[in-house]
């Protein structure tokens, strides 16, 4: 059995009931075979892959809090500090009822390679809880966030581990967590990113993941002789990533005709009205039915279905495993030329393979959604300098980072004879830097 297959088998055996983690490890290691086979003996002797797939530290803790009726609730908190070879652990906090250790480990593992690809000095980690902020009062969300941070604060710090937002963790939650950290540690430091502008946040962080996704897509299309003007784009999700992806795509002259949330989706042939979408999702925190009610051209459908709409470009921006093999087939039938992931691992392995086999350009999230964490790293730099840069300065750095990521993954794929395979390119480019740092630091 090859070293890669041995390690994949071990991961499945040692981490039962964690299918998302298995999926992420398999995707990465499969695409690294070319590199690993060239160094198989040395890597095996150093147990390099075993160390790469085993988090440096995993924290699981109780999060008790009191709801508005006086009832005590208990959630589970997680922080997986995956790999600090190239910098302090960095990665978001997900608050969603589906959160479990396997999901946090898959996200943390992906984060290691994504952070490496940004070219910035950040290691990989991820955290979260099965707490659902939906339908909770502000006081309940604050009570949860304070309790969560009371435990987490023992393990994080500006030079150790710097969490950020993710699904369910937006500006409100980051604010409550930052306040509690400062109170407990008596230190005003850049321990979290995604902060509000009045207390150390960075301009353009809110927009960064969605904008960054489009900067990368635009560069890729340019390198394939196309531009964004007049392109039809389908987007899933209606959260932070989706909203700013839609906005930037429209600024580039494309027409975005769909968005979705966890209960249904919108088809709006006139193009999504971003201001209305922000009002419904960011201000009212309501369902997309309210979008459809306020806009004549929009049709609301229950369930999922955005991938059935013919398009040039598809951008999955909601959650993991939301683009399945049948969706990939519909995209190909609908003439789709490019899929770039805004969410983390939204496309299943068989759907990815199908798209690639049918000539669709496919960019994995660890490259195409890296603009969020890259801008978080720029927030860390501004906090260390005690300075704030202008929107234009941050945005232009973001644009350069995304263009560089595209060329790095493109070149890495070409170097190993896999031109146009950006999954292989992203994994190899991310892996090479992490492995070089791990090797230099000895067996730790
Ligand atoms: P948000 O919570 O802001 O938005 C998530 C969106 O996806 C919402 O519209 C939500 O619907 C929908 N959604 C969530 N879970 C499901 C589900 N199980 N089925 C269908 N729809 C669902 O999160 P973000 O926009 O921040 O994150 C989206 C994705 O992007 C995640 O995979 C995240 O890890 C990834 N990502 C985010 C970054 C960031 O900077 N925010 C950076 C890099 C990656 P509803 O409105 O009903 O809740």
């Amino acid at each position: 059995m090859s070293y890669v297959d041995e390690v994949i088998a071990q991961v499945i055996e040692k981490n039962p009931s964690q299918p998302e983690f298995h999926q992420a490890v398999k995707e990465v290691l499969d695409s690294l075979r070319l590199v690993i086979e060239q160094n198989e003996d040395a890597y095996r002797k150093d147990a390099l892959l075993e160390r790469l797939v085993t988090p440096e530290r995993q924290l699981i803790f109780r999060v008790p809090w009191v709801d508005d009726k006086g009832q005590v609730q208990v959630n589970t908190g997680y922080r997986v500090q995956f790999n600090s070879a190239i910098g302090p652990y960095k990665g978001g906090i997900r608050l969603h009822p589906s959160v479990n250790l396997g999901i946090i480990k898959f996200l943390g593992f992906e984060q290691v390679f994504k952070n490496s690809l940004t070219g910035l000095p950040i290691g990989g980690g991820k955290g979260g809880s099965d707490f659902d902020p939906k339908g909770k009062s502000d006081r309940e969300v604050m009570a949860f966030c304070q309790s969560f941070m009371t435990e987490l604060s023992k393990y994080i710090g500006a030079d150790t581990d710097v969490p950020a937002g993710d699904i369910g963790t937006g500006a409100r939650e980051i604010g409550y967590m930052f306040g509690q950290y400062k109170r407990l540690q008596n230190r005003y430091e850049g321990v979290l990113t995604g902060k509000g502008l009045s207390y150390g946040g960075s301009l353009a962080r809110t927009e960064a993941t969605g904008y960054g996704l489009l900067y990368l897509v635009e560069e890729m299309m340019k390198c394939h002789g196309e531009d964004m003007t007049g392109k039809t784009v389908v987007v899933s999700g209606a959260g932070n990533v989706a909203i700013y992806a839609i906005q930037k795509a429209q600024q580039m002259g494309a027409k975005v005709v769909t968005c979705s949330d966890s209960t249904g989706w919108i088809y709006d042939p006139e193009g999504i009205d971003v201001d209305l979408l922000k009002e419904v999702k960011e201000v009212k925190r309501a369902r997309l039915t309210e979008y459809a009610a306020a806009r004549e051209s929009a049709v609301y459908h229950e369930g999922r279905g955005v991938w059935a709409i013919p398009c040039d470009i598809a951008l999955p921006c909601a959650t993991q495993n939301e683009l399945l093999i049948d969706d990939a087939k519909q995209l190909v039938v609908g003439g789709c030329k490019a899929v770039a992931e805004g969410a983390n691992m939204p496309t299943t392995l068989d759907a990815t393979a199908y798209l690639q086999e049918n000539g669709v350009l496919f960019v994995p999230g660890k490259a195409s959604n890296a603009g969020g964490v890259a801008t978080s790293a720029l927030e860390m730099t501004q906090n260390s300098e005690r300075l704030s840069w202008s929107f234009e300065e941050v945005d232009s750095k973001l644009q350069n980072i995304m263009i560089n990521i595209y060329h790095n993954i493109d070149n890495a794929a070409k170097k190993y004879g896999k031109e146009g395979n950006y999954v292989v390119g992203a994994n190899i480019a991310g892996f090479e830097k992490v492995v070089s740092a791990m090797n230099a630091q000895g067996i730790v």
Side-chain angles (χ1 to χ4, degrees):
M1 202 190 264
S2 76
Y3 183 35
V4 165
D5 289 322
E6 258 173 49
V7 173
I8 292 174
Q10 270 175 34
V11 165
I12 293 170
E13 196 192 325
K14 280 191 170 181
N15 304 271
S17 311
Q18 297 183 357
E20 294 85 0
F21 182 51
H22 305 165
Q23 182 182 341
V25 169
K26 193 164 165 10
E27 185 244 332
V28 170
L29 296 193
D30 263 342
S31 65
L32 290 173
R33 279 177 199 274
L34 281 170
V35 185
I36 292 164
E37 276 160 14
Q38 287 179 6
N39 300 285
E40 183 150 335
D41 291 344
Y43 285 173
R44 196 194 284 270
K45 183 160 174 283
D46 287 349
L48 184 93
L49 295 186
E50 288 87 337
R51 286 188 286 139
L52 200 66
V53 299
T54 308
E56 289 174 17
R57 193 172 296 110
Q58 305 182 56
L59 308 159
I60 305 180
F61 48 94
R62 182 171 71 197
V63 188
W65 56 280
V66 183
D67 72 15
D68 284 347
K69 296 190 186 104
Q71 174 67 48
V72 175
Q73 302 286 344
V74 181
N75 288 101
T76 305
Y78 303 91
R79 186 73 185 165
V80 172
Q81 299 180 328
F82 221 111
N83 191 305
S84 61
I86 62 174
Y89 310 105
K90 182 94 198 80
I93 291 173
R94 178 172 293 191
L95 300 181
H96 193 272
S98 64
V99 164
N100 56 44
L101 184 60
I103 289 197
I104 298 300
K105 278 165 68 179
F106 120 62
L107 290 163
F109 184 68
E110 287 280 300
Q111 197 82 43
V112 174
F113 301 94
K114 179 190 307 192
N115 293 2
S116 168
L117 279 176
T118 65
L120 301 168
I122 39 179
K126 197 83 187 185
S129 173
D130 56 358
F131 172 78
D132 187 358
K134 265 197 210 130
K136 306 285 191 304
S137 69
D138 285 351
R139 195 211 61 79
E140 288 176 321
V141 171
M142 181 171 74
F144 168 82
C145 289
Q146 290 182 339
S147 180
F148 182 81
M149 184 50 83
T150 299
E151 187 60 23
L152 188 66
S153 64
K154 297 168 189 166
Y155 308 101
I156 62 174
D159 295 317
T160 318
D161 182 357
V162 184
D166 190 68
I167 290 179
T169 306
R172 174 182 60 172
E173 290 76 15
I174 292 288
Y176 292 147
M177 289 181 196
F178 182 76
Q180 183 72 351
Y181 178 86
K182 181 167 62 75
R183 182 188 194 192
L184 292 166
Q185 301 291 328
N186 197 25
R187 268 204 307 275
Y188 203 111
E189 60 176 10
V191 67
L192 289 161
T193 58
K195 299 186 290 299
L197 294 177
S198 56
Y199 63 97
S202 173
L203 284 162
R205 174 61 187 92
T206 308
E207 295 82 356
T209 309
Y211 277 23
L213 173 66
L214 267 297
Y215 291 143
L216 185 141
V217 169
E218 184 183 46
E219 183 67 11
M220 175 174 73
M221 298 303 276
K222 210 162 79 186
C223 293
H224 287 82
E226 305 249 10
D227 68 23
M228 295 298 293
T229 316
K231 294 281 182 297
T232 300
V233 180
V234 299
V235 168
S236 65
N240 173 263
V241 179
I243 286 174
Y244 294 96
I246 295 170
Q247 186 170 73
K248 184 51 77 179
Q250 291 180 341
Q251 286 171 9
M252 290 174 170
K255 187 193 259 190
V256 183
V257 293
T258 64
C259 63
S260 66
D261 66 12
S262 46
T263 52
W265 60 285
I266 292 285
Y267 175 52
D268 190 343
E270 301 278 298
I272 297 290
D273 177 340
V274 180
D275 291 336
L276 175 59
L277 185 62
K278 282 187 186 174
E279 174 69 19
V280 171
K281 282 295 176 184
E282 291 184 341
V283 182
K284 294 187 182 161
R285 296 177 191 265
R287 307 251 56 95
L288 284 174
T289 42
E290 292 214 13
Y291 177 95
R295 190 155 157 97
E296 213 171 305
S297 55
V299 186
Y300 175 81
H301 301 269
E302 286 290 326
R304 46 196 300 288
V306 297
W307 316 121
I309 302 293
C311 65
D312 300 300
I313 298 168
L315 306 174
C317 297
T319 192
Q320 65 272 3
N321 293 333
E322 51 154 328
L323 200 166
L324 314 176
I325 181 74
D326 288 342
D327 304 319
K329 289 179 181 168
Q330 285 187 311
L331 284 172
V332 169
V333 169
C336 179
K337 299 183 187 76
V339 174
E341 296 184 325
N344 285 314
M345 209 170 73
T347 317
T348 57
L349 294 175
D350 53 353
T352 303
Y354 186 85
L355 292 168
Q356 289 178 319
E357 281 156 16
N358 284 276
V360 178
L361 299 171
F362 178 85
V363 191
K366 65 172 70 72
S368 47
N369 71 30
V373 74
T375 308
S376 280
L378 300 179
E379 183 175 329
M380 289 165 70
T381 307
Q382 293 169 76
N383 291 164
S384 303
E385 289 183 341
R386 302 204 190 282
L387 287 174
S388 297
W389 304 338
S390 67
F391 186 97
E392 291 69 28
E393 193 172 352
V394 180
D395 191 36
S396 107
K397 286 185 165 56
L398 168 66
Q399 193 164 3
N400 283 334
I401 289 168
M402 297 312 295
I403 290 172
N404 282 339
I405 291 177
Y406 172 71
H407 289 288
N408 284 343
I409 66 174
D410 188 42
N411 290 337
K414 284 178 182 154
K415 183 172 146 193
Y416 286 89
K418 295 274 181 183
E419 181 162 359
N421 188 332
Y422 302 125
V423 174
V424 169
N427 287 328
I428 292 178
F431 174 82
E432 282 183 332
K433 182 175 174 192
V434 174
V435 166
S436 146
M438 284 174 74
N439 282 336
Q441 291 170 30
I443 305 304
V444 292

